[in-house]
Amino acid sequence: MSEELVSQSGRDELIPSFLEKPEEITEFIDTKEYDVVIVGAGTPGLPYALSAKEEGLSVAVLQKGPTASACGNICAAIDYESSNQSDVDNLVSRLVVSSGHRVKREVIDLWARESGKAFDWLKPLAEEAGCQIKTLGNGPHQALKDEHDYDINFKTLFFGPKPYSVGAGMVQLAKLAEKKGVDFYYKTPGVQLIQDESGKVVSVVGKSKEGAIKFSAKLGVVITTGDYQNDPEMIKYYCPDMQYFETKKSGRTGDGHKMVVWAGGQIENIGHTKMCHDFDSGPAGLMNMPLMRVKKNGKRFANEELVHMEYMNNYLFSKEDAGNYFEIFDSAYEEKFKDFPGEAPSLDELKMYMPEEDVEREGVVEPLIATYSADSLDELAQKLGLDAEGLKAEVERYNKFVEQGADEDFGKNPKYLTKIDIPPYFGTQRHVRLTMMCFGVEVNGEHECLDVEGEPIENLYAIGNVSGRFYGSIDYPLDVAGLNLGHNFTEGYYNGKKLAGALKNSSR
C-alpha cells in the first residue's frame, strides 16, 4: 500500500492510495432520473427505499451483488412512549460510555426515540414479504433491565431460527419493494458521485456489465454500502488487528466510504470498532460462562470470568491463533456450572452443536457447529486440533487451582473454578471471525455527510454501518442485543420519511 502527499479541500495530507480520487467518468450508456438513489440493498437501504416510496418518491436502489445482502438475526427497538424516558436517556448514556465516549449522542438518540415506530412499521411489511419472523419483546434484554432497574419496554424482532437470517429476509423484502414500485439495479455498484459547481451531489454513477449509467437524484444520494472488511488495504490501514481473521461477508470493499471521501467527505479517525463473534460453534449459553478456555497450544490465556466472547478476538490476533480458541469442560458441567452466570445448555441442546451426533438439529448453522466429546483428553485434543500434551498439563494445573481455591495464573474468582475430571470430556472450538467493521464516514445528526471542515455536503447522506459515530470503542458493545440491526432499520425508516417530508415542505 503506497501513500502520497495529496491536497484535499485545501489541506496537504498524507492519505493512503486506496482513497486517491479516480478519473472522472464522463461517458454513459444511459441516464436515469429519480427523487432519491440508494446505493446498497441491505438492512438500512431497503427500509429507506420502502419508506421513501410510501411517501410518493421515485426510488432507485443500486446493488453490487445479484441480490439484497445482510446478516444477523435480532433487531432491537424501544417503545419510547411507554418507557420511562429518563431510563432511556440513561441507557443512551451507557451506550456512549460503552463506545469509549467517541460517539455522537444524537445518532444513538435517533435509534432510542424512533426505533419503536420503525418496528411497528417494519413488522407488517416483513410479514407481507413472507419473512420468517417472530417477536421476542423484552426477552433478550431482561438481564439488562434487571441489572439497572430499567423501566424500558423493548420491542425485539427475530429473523429465524437459524440457518434462516435477516439476509434471507432482506431478499424477500426487496422483492416486496420491487412490487411496490422501487426500481432495483443489481450487479450495478455505485462507483462515483457527480457534483455540480457548488459541490452539491446531483448524481451517482452505477457500473453495469454493459457500461456506466448516470443516476440523477433530485433530493439526494443515500450511501448504505456497509463496511470494508473485504478490502485488505483498508483493513491493514484502519484495523491491522484483523489482518489474519476470516471475514463473514464478501464484496464489502468500502465502496461507499471511498465515494464519500472523493466527494470531499472524511472517514472517522483511526480506532475503528470491530465486531468479531461466534454464536454458532456451540451453545450461546456457554460463550460467556467462566469455564476453562485455551489456545491451540492447550494453554489458558485470560481470566475467563472477566473476558467475554466479544472481546476474545483481542487475545487472538496472531497468524497462528487467527481468531480460534477452545472451551473445555466435562460431562458433569450442568451440575458444576449451576452457580455460573446464565444458564448452561442441556445435553440434548449441546448435541445439536456436535457434528458427530446423529440428532435432529434446529436453530444451528450445520457447517459451523464445532463441539466434540471424547473419553480422554488425548482424544479430545485430536478432535479439536490441540496440542495434547499442552492440554493435559493445563487441565492438571487447573484442577490443582480448584483444590487450593486460588487461580495462580489469572486470579479467577474461586467460585468459578470447577474441576475437569469426569469423562467424557467436551470441547468447543470457537472461531471468531470478522462480522463487521462498525466505523464509517463523518455525519451529523441528520445523517448528512460532512466535509473535512465539518460542513454538510449537500444532497449526500450515509446510514447504517457506512455511517459513523454510532460506535467508538475497540469492540462492538453487546449491552443491547440486536442494536446493530435495530439502528440500521431505524435510520432507513426515519430518514426515508424525513427526506419525503422535506419534499412536501418545499413544494408548499
Side-chain angles (χ1 to χ4, degrees), residues 34 43 117-118 127 151 223 293 375 390 470 482:
Y34 292 90
T43 49
K117 297 174 187 174
E127 290 171 338
D151 180 13
I223 306 297
R293 295 185 176 90
D375 292 328
F470 196 93

Side-chain angles (χ1 to χ4, degrees), residues 30 32-34 36-42 45-46 49 59-69 174 182-193 203-208 211-217 220-226 255-256 259:
D30 199 0
K32 300 181 181 292
E33 296 184 357
Y34 292 90
V36 58
V37 180
I38 300 163
V39 186
L46 288 172
V59 182
V61 178
L62 311 187
Q63 172 65 350
K64 188 174 186 177
T67 66
S69 176
V182 176
D183 290 340
F184 284 82
Y185 297 86
Y186 292 109
K187 297 184 180 179
T188 307
V191 295
Q192 201 170 102
L193 298 167
S203 304
V204 58
V205 179
K207 194 170 184 180
S208 71
I213 303 171
K214 182 166 75 171
F215 293 86
S216 296
V221 173
V222 185
I223 306 297
T224 71
T225 49
D255 302 353
M259 283 192 288

Side-chain angles (χ1 to χ4, degrees), residues 298-505:
K299 303 295 184 183
R300 292 173 68 212
F301 57 94
N303 183 325
E304 300 92 346
E305 173 192 0
L306 303 178
V307 184
H308 291 174
M309 181 271 295
E310 65 268 30
Y311 302 114
M312 285 293 177
N313 71 89
N314 295 293
Y315 297 82
L316 307 167
F317 292 156
S318 73
K319 189 174 183 179
E320 180 183 18
D321 292 324
N324 288 279
Y325 69 96
F326 305 82
E327 298 167 342
I328 307 297
F329 49 104
D330 69 17
S331 59
Y333 74 92
E334 289 185 82
E335 175 64 23
K336 292 179 177 180
F337 295 173
K338 65 181 182 181
D339 294 326
F340 283 14
E343 184 176 350
S346 67
L347 182 57
D348 286 340
E349 182 182 354
L350 188 65
K351 286 181 177 180
M352 289 196 294
Y353 292 86
M354 299 173 67
E356 296 177 330
E357 294 291 331
D358 183 16
V359 297
E360 185 175 340
R361 306 184 198 280
E362 182 180 359
V364 303
V365 181
E366 286 200 48
L368 300 179
I369 60 175
T371 299
Y372 296 89
S373 67
D375 292 328
S376 70
L377 291 174
D378 282 293
E379 183 186 1
L380 184 65
Q382 182 180 18
K383 289 182 177 183
L384 294 173
L386 297 178
D387 179 277
E389 295 305 316
L391 177 63
K392 288 189 294 182
E394 195 72 350
V395 169
E396 182 179 0
R397 179 175 176 81
Y398 190 78
N399 287 341
K400 288 181 179 178
F401 294 161
V402 179
E403 292 174 358
Q404 65 192 33
D407 176 4
E408 295 181 0
D409 290 337
F410 300 103
K412 184 161 69 174
N413 190 321
K415 70 180 180 180
Y416 298 135
L417 292 171
T418 59
K419 278 191 172 185
I420 300 170
D421 60 353
I422 302 177
Y425 301 102
F426 291 89
T428 295
Q429 179 185 1
R430 295 282 180 186
H431 183 190
V432 292
R433 296 174 292 153
L434 179 56
T435 304
M436 185 78 66
M437 290 303 306
C438 302
F439 249 54
V441 298
E442 292 284 0
V443 297
N444 60 20
E446 301 300 312
H447 286 275
E448 297 174 295
C449 296
L450 303 179
D451 65 20
V452 294
E453 305 300 334
E455 296 298 323
I457 302 171
E458 190 175 358
N459 268 27
L460 182 59
Y461 304 88
I463 61 174
N465 287 313
V466 72
S467 169
R469 296 299 177 188
F470 196 93
Y471 304 108
S473 62
I474 295 173
D475 292 287
Y476 172 79
L478 285 180
D479 304 69
V480 177
L483 178 62
N484 197 59
L485 286 181
H487 96 83
N488 281 354
F489 284 135
T490 302
E491 289 173 5
Y493 159 81
Y494 176 83
N495 285 288
K497 297 291 184 189
K498 185 187 68 177
L499 192 70
L503 172 64
K504 290 177 180 178
N505 292 336

